[in-house]
Amino acid sequence: SQQGEEDPQALSIQEGENATMNCSYKTSINNLQWYRQNSGRGLVHLILIRSNEREKHSGRLRVTLDTSKKSSSLLITASRAADTASYFCATDAGGYQKVTFGTGTKLQVIP
Amino acid sequence: GAVVSQHPSWVICKSGTSVKIECRSLDFQATTMFWYRQFPKQSLMLMATSNEGSKATYEQGVEKDKFLINHASLTLSTLTVTSAHPEDSSFYICSARGQISNQPQHFGDGTRLSIL
């Protein structure tokens, strides 16, 4: 399977704490994306990081990418209860290539 | 931002019924559309990739006669689950990519299919 692995599978933290999720993948990529999915809903695109980038920020989100280790991390700072969701990384080889999703991390932020 | 509309959002029907799900890109031309299936508490699994005007490419293990995909225009793709059975019950999500290949896919809100 080409599916990426994410860890942890589940994470429970207190509101205000930081949450870190990791993603490892197997093949070369054009870019890597992080998505959020609330229960029973579609995916919301959070951030895209290209293969020639090492770090990217968007609001309270910080994403890093290490192509030599084929890994990425998503950091959510000062978490809020509304951040409770499942988070998926997705690797994209570009063009007509498929996007492959990781196994996901279920984040629970306790108020 | 780009919007992908998926319809219906929820379907309940009897076993043996065929169900059609539509995926529309509302403000861009979708060169490629993707159909995913998601079981409860699991990740998204790609079912097939469709390019406008050509036959869909199915992932291994996905029955193309069971899951009919039509991508007749640059803004519409349909997935038809033929003669659906309870084991076909799942959450189906489409996504669309525009002509710029390094831009992310845009996802619909998904269709929850329940077969009784």
Side-chain angles (χ1 to χ4, degrees), chain B residues 55-66:
Chain B
K55 290 184 179 180
T57 301
Y58 289 81
E59 295 299 299
Q60 192 173 10
V62 178
E63 298 177 60
K64 60 181 180 181
D65 295 329
K66 175 75 170 176

Side-chain angles (χ1 to χ4, degrees), chain A residues 6-12 20-22 87 103-107:
Chain A
E6 290 183 61
D7 75 271
Q9 290 186 350
L11 179 62
S12 183
T20 300
M21 289 159 263
N22 302 295
Y87 291 82
T103 50
T105 295
K106 189 169 185 177
L107 173 66

Side-chain angles (χ1 to χ4, degrees), chain B residues 41-56:
Chain B
K41 300 183 181 180
Q42 294 189 26
S43 186
L44 280 73
M45 298 302 295
L46 181 67
M47 298 174 66
T49 303
S50 71
N51 296 306
E52 185 264 339
S54 60
K55 290 184 179 180

